[in-house]
Amino acid sequence: MTTEPEPDRVEPDDVRAARAAIDAHLSRSDPSPGHGGGADGLRSDGRVDDQVADRIAREAWDAVIAVTPPPPDPATDPGPAVEPPEVAERRARAIAIARGLQRLGYHLDESLLPGPGMAAG
């Protein structure tokens, strides 16, 4: 399977994060036909298709959103919002996964790509 790196090749951290996310996604997906998981989404060359890569990146961003507290009310708390460590950690992971998927050649929805105009997080 192409989630495995080539022997004796050192990969960037973001590529390792993407491969781990692909493996985790495939291992928890329902492998029965028609349920969108397991072998579903795998191409004949052993890579997942771009839709599955999008789903994996979206799951990483959803994990960020799930732990992000609502912004403070400026009327009651005028101080700057401080990002909790868990949010920062999940955001860094989501960025690494998205970048790694790109490095692996997957074409992701623009809203899932890290950057200044990033819609994902």
Side-chain angles (χ1 to χ4, degrees):
M1 176 176 255
T2 60
T3 58
E4 295 298 322
E6 293 177 20
D8 300 326
R9 185 170 158 227
V10 177
E11 291 186 316
D13 290 341
D14 53 3
V15 172
R16 283 197 306 273
R19 289 187 192 282
I22 291 168
D23 288 342
H25 178 81
L26 292 175
S27 70
R28 74 175 174 272
S29 297
D30 184 350
S32 58
H35 286 90
D40 238 5
L42 279 178
R43 300 183 331 197
S44 61
D45 63 0
R47 290 172 48 93
V48 295
D49 61 31
D50 285 344
Q51 289 176 337
V52 173
D54 260 9
R55 197 172 315 131
I56 291 166
R58 193 168 311 281
E59 287 172 0
W61 287 116
D62 287 349
V64 175
I65 292 167
V67 296
T68 302
D73 181 1
T76 60
D77 186 8
V82 177
E83 187 172 68
E86 184 181 12
V87 175
E89 181 181 317
R90 288 192 188 191
R91 181 180 310 281
R93 183 174 186 277
I95 289 169
I97 288 170
R99 286 187 178 148
L101 289 168
Q102 279 188 299
R103 284 184 187 217
L104 288 170
Y106 294 104
H107 301 283
L108 301 178
D109 181 286
E110 213 172 282
S111 67
L112 300 172
L113 303 177
M118 179 173 70

